[in-house]
Amino acid sequence: MIRTITLAVFLCIVSLVPTKADETITVKLDNDTHKQQIIELSCCNIFLDMKDDVNGIIRIHLDLENRQENKEILLFNNGYGEKSLKKMRPAAIVYDKYFGGTKKRRVIEPCRGLGSDFRIAPSDRENIMMLTGYETVMTCRLPIYIAEYKPRSFFRRQRYTLMEKLVVELNIEVTLKPDSTYWQLHDEYTALIGELEHTVFCTNKRHTPSLEEQKAAYRQKIETCLARIDRELTRHHWPRTDARYKLHMELQDKLKQIDLTAREGDCGQHKATHRCRYCNLSLRQIYHRLDDHYQTIYSSTDRQTTKEKLIREVRALYFCAIDRHRQAEWRANDYKAKIIDRYNRINRF
């Protein structure tokens, strides 16, 4: 007797353990141009609709449409036993005689995420659940039961007969792309860097406007971009793991690393000649220093980080060289083309 009871309990537990899916489907969604996806199966269509996320929470509405003409689709939010199914109202639910499993010991596999049981008539479409979470990879397992409906007769009340079970497993990969505000900020940063590449903040006391006034407009642009990034982070409340949060933080770090002092020098429009810490170097020595920096960045395992550490001196060396352009030394020197080449190569990293 004890062995019989133990076996019955074991069979019930086994029937509740999810089996291998009949269909495993990978779906790729994003919050830009691919928010929706339709999955066509023999018995039904599955509709996925990704809504605008709030505070970094991904929300995907899942609808199921019955494509069959004379069979119904049933999904359950509880693991009902056979006795419970027969007592269902308004219609009893029974297994077809050819349905797999041990009679009287079969247990329904529940569908996680349902708020209630669903019975979808032929050609009907129902919103059955909403998937939510912070993860960019989400899974959803749909145990779909195909049933025949038999109306009430004189001898028997209405019932659904479970004919077969189809398990669909969805692997949903979500890419969260930044919105247009981010790309505006990114473009402004790129334009600012482009301007600074060709700008020298003149340190000569005779220069008008003053050094601080020359830098003021650029400082204002940097501070405005930083303030807009702060507003975006505050408005969206993205978690630190969100790709959009990371992109905004990376852009913020780049803006903070802009060093206006590295662009200081003499504009050459005053009687005083250009002077900086590298003026005692020949153009040959400047080239070799630039080449050393180029080789260091090229052989580095993290070129971007290495470049950021060296770029200030690279620019200072380069502008020291080109500020001699009025001198015969720069115009006729064999190292002019080499210096320009190395500087451009470093900037392309």
Side-chain angles (χ1 to χ4, degrees):
M1 181 65 179
I2 294 175
R3 291 182 62 187
T4 303
I5 294 173
T6 303
L7 178 60
V9 173
F10 172 76
L11 289 171
C12 286
I13 293 173
V14 168
S15 63
L16 283 169
V17 176
T19 56
K20 184 178 179 181
D22 299 296
E23 294 271 359
T24 301
I25 302 168
T26 297
V27 179
K28 297 180 184 293
L29 298 175
D30 63 53
N31 58 339
D32 184 19
T33 59
H34 194 192
K35 294 183 178 182
Q36 299 175 330
Q37 178 73 42
I38 302 175
I39 302 165
E40 297 182 355
L41 302 175
S42 58
C43 65
C44 63
N45 290 329
I46 300 171
F47 298 83
L48 298 174
D49 185 9
M50 180 177 170
K51 300 298 183 182
D52 290 337
D53 60 304
V54 179
N55 297 337
I57 301 176
I58 299 167
R59 303 178 189 275
I60 301 174
H61 292 266
L62 192 154
D63 289 12
L64 196 147
E65 179 184 47
N66 189 351
R67 298 181 59 181
Q68 302 167 111
E69 294 182 359
N70 56 5
K71 289 187 175 64
E72 309 231 357
I73 287 178
L74 276 61
L75 298 102
F76 302 90
N77 72 332
N78 285 306
Y80 301 109
E82 292 191 46
K83 287 185 179 180
S84 298
L85 290 174
K86 288 181 180 179
K87 295 178 182 179
M88 289 280 188
R89 292 291 185 272
I93 300 175
V94 298
Y95 287 93
D96 181 71
K97 62 181 180 179
Y98 297 111
F99 200 99
T102 304
K103 191 176 181 180
K104 296 184 180 180
R105 293 172 180 169
R106 291 168 291 199
V107 179
I108 289 294
E109 180 184 348
C111 181
R112 296 183 182 276
L114 293 185
S116 62
D117 298 337
F118 279 90
R119 298 168 189 175
I120 306 175
S123 302
D124 278 1
R125 172 173 168 174
E126 294 278 356
N127 173 236
I128 62 172
M129 70 173 71
M130 182 169 67
L131 306 172
T132 61
Y134 290 101
E135 297 82 4
T136 53
V137 177
M138 308 172 77
T139 59
C140 176
R141 182 180 173 89
L142 300 173
I144 299 169
Y145 288 86
I146 311 300
E148 285 187 350
Y149 173 72
K150 295 181 180 179
R152 181 177 180 177
S153 67
F154 182 79
F155 298 101
R156 186 174 57 195
R157 68 189 183 93
Q158 58 182 323
R159 65 168 57 191
Y160 292 94
T161 302
L162 302 181
M163 308 301 295
E164 61 179 305
K165 172 186 173 185
L166 171 67
V167 178
V168 180
E169 193 164 281
L170 302 177
N171 296 320
I172 306 169
E173 300 175 5
V174 178
T175 301
L176 297 174
K177 299 181 179 181
D179 59 15
S180 59
T181 301
Y182 168 81
W183 290 115
Q184 290 173 5
L185 288 165
H186 186 275
D187 290 345
E188 288 176 24
Y189 165 77
T190 303
L192 180 59
I193 292 299
E195 287 181 47
L196 289 172
E197 291 290 345
H198 306 286
T199 300
V200 176
F201 299 114
C202 186
T203 56
N204 196 296
K205 293 180 180 180
R206 298 183 178 87
H207 191 95
T208 302
S210 69
L211 179 62
E212 288 306 309
E213 289 172 330
Q214 294 172 58
K215 292 180 179 180
Y218 292 94
R219 284 205 182 99
Q220 183 60 47
K221 289 180 181 180
I222 293 170
E223 290 170 2
T224 299
C225 285
L226 288 172
R228 290 175 64 191
I229 290 173
D230 284 337
R231 286 197 297 270
E232 286 297 292
L233 294 173
T234 301
R235 182 166 70 93
H236 291 287
H237 298 289
W238 293 308
R240 293 179 182 273
T241 55
D242 192 291
R244 292 162 298 182
Y245 175 85
K246 293 178 181 177
L247 284 172
H248 280 77
M249 291 303 294
E250 287 173 7
L251 186 57
Q252 185 183 75
D253 290 342
K254 288 180 179 178
L255 284 163
K256 288 180 178 179
Q257 289 170 12
I258 294 176
D259 185 5
L260 299 182
T261 60
R263 300 294 307 128
E264 292 180 3
D266 196 292
C267 67
Q269 301 298 317
H270 312 285
K271 291 183 178 180
T273 58
H274 166 87
R275 294 302 302 168
C276 73
R277 58 186 295 189
Y278 302 108
C279 283
N280 62 325
L281 300 178
S282 67
L283 292 180
R284 176 178 177 275
Q285 290 172 316
I286 288 177
Y287 164 72
H288 283 297
R289 284 208 185 186
L290 289 173
D291 186 59
D292 287 343
H293 291 332
Y294 169 78
Q295 299 298 336
T296 298
I297 298 170
Y298 180 82
S299 60
S300 172
T301 56
D302 186 348
R303 291 179 177 176
Q304 189 60 38
T305 300
T306 306
K307 175 185 174 180
E308 289 172 359
K309 291 179 180 178
L310 298 175
I311 195 64
R312 181 176 177 179
E313 183 174 350
V314 166
R315 289 171 177 161
L317 286 164
Y318 176 71
F319 284 103
C320 177
I322 66 172
D323 282 344
R324 304 177 189 181
H325 68 283
R326 290 183 180 81
Q327 304 173 26
E329 177 191 6
W330 171 251
R331 292 196 299 271
N333 198 284
D334 293 336
Y335 285 96
K336 174 181 176 180
K338 294 181 178 181
I339 288 172
I340 294 173
D341 176 73
R342 281 295 175 267
Y343 179 72
N344 289 335
R345 284 173 180 263
I346 290 171
N347 275 306
R348 283 196 294 267
F349 280 121

